[in-house]
Each structure stands twice: as C-alpha cells, then as structure tokens.
Amino acid sequence: MALQSYFTCTTVDTITTCIVRMSGRRVVVFSSAAELGPALAHLVASRADKALLDHGQFSLGLSGGSLVSMLSKELPALPDLDCSHWLVGFCDDRLVPFDDGESTYGLHKNQLFSKINIPDSGVLAIDSSSSVQECAEDYACKLKEYLQCCLWQRQFTES
C-alpha cells in the first residue's frame, strides 16, 4: 500500500498553520515561519530518504510563494542532503520568462536548486517560449512520461 501524504501551509496574521496528512492524520500548528521551515525541510528530507530506500527515486511537487524562501533556507542547511535522485515538478508555475519574479521554476532555480545537488535532468520545467496551449500539452507529456517510467521501474524492481 502506498503511503499517501501531502502538506499545505497557510499564514493568517502571525500564525502559520501547516497541515500534514499522513496515514495517521494530524494537524500541526506552528507559531511562526521560523518554526515551520526546519520542520518542513526535515519532513521533505525524511520522505526523500524513505522513497530513495524503497524505490531509488523521490518526486516532489513544488509551489511558489513563501515555500521558495523557506525551503531555500532550510533544505541546504540539512547535513548529508542528497538530491541527485530527486525529480521536482511544479504545481502552479506561470507562463512567464524564468527571470520573472512570478516564475515558480525561476525562483526555485535561483534560490534553491543553485544550493543543492539536484541535476538539471531532475527538474521538470515548462517551456516558457511556447504558447499557453503548447506549454500545457508539453508539460502534461513530460509528467505522463515520467509517471509511466516510474510505474514501470516500480513494477520491475518489485517483481
């Protein structure tokens, strides 16, 4: 049985709430982003370690907003963090040039990927030079190709 989990973070006034859903559901409330950041980085790293042990790869979907600065500060601070077998995709990127402040990929590339050892081949980015329709179709193909490859690898290694 696959472990289903996700997290979402919201800041209202000065209270940052991070909801972590795991098999034994729980809600964790942090009083500040300063407390949330290290906990989030450790959660990502522990999920990566488990996935790498179980499947030899780790996939992560990233969004923009405060997540960029939080992860870019906390993940590189973790000792022995190995991102060489990670695959990162984006949940909410925008069709803008990568150097635009609204580009989720561009922000993560400049603030996070430059600090960790994730190869370019481990990042699924949009083609920002195409039309909206072409970009969406291309990114959908990239995701589908990756997911099919993952399923094949898991079937092969588990049989």
Side-chain angles (χ1 to χ4, degrees):
M1 184 172 105
L3 178 64
Q4 297 295 318
S5 65
Y6 73 88
F7 56 84
T8 182
C9 301
T10 307
T11 302
V12 178
D13 295 325
T14 59
I15 304 298
T16 300
T17 304
C18 181
I19 300 173
V20 181
R21 294 201 183 265
M22 294 180 276
S23 55
R25 295 183 177 168
R26 68 181 186 169
V27 175
V28 181
V29 179
F30 295 89
S31 61
S32 69
E35 288 181 22
L36 171 62
L40 183 58
H42 284 283
L43 176 66
V44 170
S46 69
R47 294 300 172 128
D49 289 345
K50 180 171 179 10
L52 291 170
L53 284 173
D54 292 349
H55 308 291
Q57 60 192 14
F58 174 62
S59 304
L60 179 65
L62 294 174
S63 60
S66 61
L67 185 66
V68 178
S69 59
M70 204 175 307
L71 288 182
S72 66
K73 176 183 177 193
E74 301 299 341
L75 276 177
L78 295 177
D80 304 319
L81 181 69
D82 181 9
C83 308
S84 61
H85 297 287
W86 287 24
L87 183 93
V88 175
F90 300 93
C91 304
D92 67 348
D93 211 347
R94 292 157 185 86
L95 186 55
V96 295
F98 294 145
D99 60 357
D100 187 298
E102 292 295 312
S103 170
T104 300
Y105 165 76
L107 291 171
H108 280 288
K109 180 181 182 198
N110 293 331
Q111 295 180 36
L112 176 62
F113 302 153
S114 62
K115 298 177 185 178
I116 60 177
N117 67 328
I118 188 164
D120 289 342
S121 61
V123 180
L124 292 178
I126 63 168
D127 177 358
S128 66
S129 67
S130 60
S131 71
V132 172
Q133 185 66 32
E134 291 168 337
C135 177
E137 290 171 1
D138 178 64
Y139 198 68
C141 285
K142 287 178 184 177
L143 289 172
K144 184 177 180 181
E145 182 180 300
Y146 170 72
L147 292 172
Q148 287 175 340
C149 181
C150 286
L151 291 174
W152 180 84
Q153 286 178 346
R154 285 186 183 174
Q155 289 173 352
F156 181 75
T157 58
E158 291 174 359
S159 56

